[in-house]
Amino acid sequence: MKTWLSRRPFVVDTFIAVLLMGLGVLEIRVNRMSLPQFGEGPLLADIAWSAVTCLPLIWRRVYPLTVMVAVVSLAVAGQFAGVYSGSGATVAMFLAVYSSGAYSHHNRRDLTRGLLVVGVMALLVVGTFVPVLGHSDAPVEAEAFLILLNTAFFSAAWILGDVTRQKHSAQARLEKQAEVLQSQREELAQSAVASERLRIARELHDVVGHHVSVMGVQAGAARRLIDHDPEKAGEVLSAVEESGRDAVTEMGRLVGLLRSDGDETPGPQPGFADLDAMIERMGDAGLDVTVRR
């Protein structure tokens, strides 16, 4: 479920915006019915105002700066005009400022946010200390507390947005590094396979070359013996046949390694330890072999 939602941010943002709008309308209507100071107002007007301040959040990831300017400007204008917006507009402002920091990569992001927040705070200060523009009859101390509260409000949204953007950027860098490392691992694996195949090909050349050389020597000996010693020549030809079978067996094994990923390690080539066995095979083939040690 979480993966499905993470792949559909537009659906998530639409749900959040509609939910805030609905809760805002519900709060406004309840307060109008239970608290006389809020007065009465038409339902459609309350719905329209909540929609104007909350529904722009649907596009908060696509146009974060535009949504922030629209939501904050409308909400603040409504407060100064005496329009009761409810908590929905307050949460919408927080999300709008947060989203501008979390999802905007515009080079004037901080300038736009700064001008908007400073402008809002300036209006609050003017509304507090200039009675003509004041939007309530509350004491100056209460208005000063309201200014501090709004400062903390916008600061928290600003900081959380920046932290989220930095987290996303770090995650994107890690994913990019992981892709690079994966690509390098694949290249190294392919290089290792190619090197192993080359080694096996050389091994094939050495093995087959060895057996073919022995077969050539044995065939030459058989040719010399076939006229005056046919029985001995037959023994030599049998040795040629055995060498041929050995060559085919070794070649099949090495070709099988070439067709695979080269995980299997071929056996070692004949060395000095196998010299006596090779001499014996030559002797069985009717050849006189002299070894100088």
Side-chain angles (χ1 to χ4, degrees):
M1 184 65 177
K2 184 177 180 181
T3 303
W4 186 89
L5 291 176
S6 63
R7 293 177 179 176
R8 294 165 177 82
F10 185 80
V11 175
V12 175
D13 292 339
T14 301
F15 174 78
I16 292 174
V18 173
L19 178 63
L20 283 178
M21 173 186 165
L23 292 177
V25 172
L26 179 62
E27 179 189 3
I28 293 172
R29 299 310 298 177
V30 169
N31 287 336
R32 287 192 188 282
M33 290 186 295
S34 58
L35 300 174
Q37 63 267 31
F38 289 106
E40 296 182 359
L43 175 61
L44 290 179
D46 292 338
I47 293 176
W49 182 248
S50 294
V52 167
T53 54
C54 295
L55 291 186
L57 292 176
I58 295 175
W59 298 277
R60 67 189 183 96
R61 301 177 200 247
V62 183
Y63 307 107
L65 290 181
T66 303
V67 169
M68 178 193 66
V69 173
V71 170
V72 174
S73 299
L74 287 171
V76 172
Q79 289 180 1
F80 275 89
V83 178
Y84 178 54
S85 303
S87 302
T90 303
V91 177
M93 281 196 298
F94 184 91
L95 286 177
V97 176
Y98 162 82
S99 300
S100 68
Y103 304 112
S104 175
H105 299 280
H106 197 279
N107 55 1
R108 295 186 178 180
R109 176 192 62 241
D110 293 337
L111 176 62
T112 304
R113 288 192 298 171
L115 290 175
L116 182 66
V117 172
V118 169
V120 171
M121 299 308 299
L123 287 175
L124 289 175
V125 171
V126 171
T128 299
F129 296 104
V130 180
V132 175
L133 297 178
H135 62 280
S136 71
D137 297 328
V140 174
E141 292 79 4
E143 294 290 347
F145 176 76
L146 180 62
I147 292 174
L148 293 176
L149 187 62
N150 278 276
T151 302
F153 175 83
F154 284 112
S155 298
W158 186 306
I159 293 172
L160 285 176
D162 285 348
V163 170
T164 301
R165 185 185 70 255
Q166 292 169 3
K167 180 181 178 181
H168 289 168
S169 298
Q171 183 177 358
R173 287 195 299 269
L174 290 176
E175 291 176 353
K176 183 64 176 179
Q177 291 174 359
E179 292 177 359
V180 172
L181 290 176
Q182 180 64 25
S183 176
Q184 291 177 348
R185 280 197 296 268
E186 292 176 357
E187 291 178 359
L188 289 175
Q190 293 175 358
S191 177
V193 170
S195 299
E196 183 66 10
R197 290 181 184 274
L198 179 60
R199 186 183 68 82
I200 294 174
R202 291 173 179 170
E203 193 85 3
L204 177 62
H205 174 270
D206 294 341
V207 168
V208 175
H210 163 72
H211 285 289
V212 170
S213 297
V214 172
M215 291 168 63
V217 173
Q218 291 171 335
R223 180 175 57 81
R224 291 185 178 88
L225 293 172
I226 196 168
D227 291 332
H228 60 276
D229 194 350
E231 183 178 354
K232 193 66 174 178
E235 294 177 359
V236 174
L237 290 175
S238 297
V240 172
E241 182 182 0
E242 182 180 354
S243 295
R245 284 196 298 268
D246 291 343
V248 171
T249 300
E250 288 294 327
M251 186 166 57
R253 182 174 66 87
L254 292 173
V255 169
L257 290 176
L258 286 173
R259 289 176 177 173
S260 66
D261 292 334
D263 295 332
E264 183 181 347
T265 302
Q269 288 301 299
F272 286 108
D274 304 304
L275 187 58
D276 293 336
M278 295 173 64
I279 294 173
E280 184 178 354
R281 291 178 61 186
M282 293 291 185
D284 293 339
L287 301 176
D288 294 328
V289 180
T290 302
V291 179
R292 295 180 180 178
R293 299 181 184 272

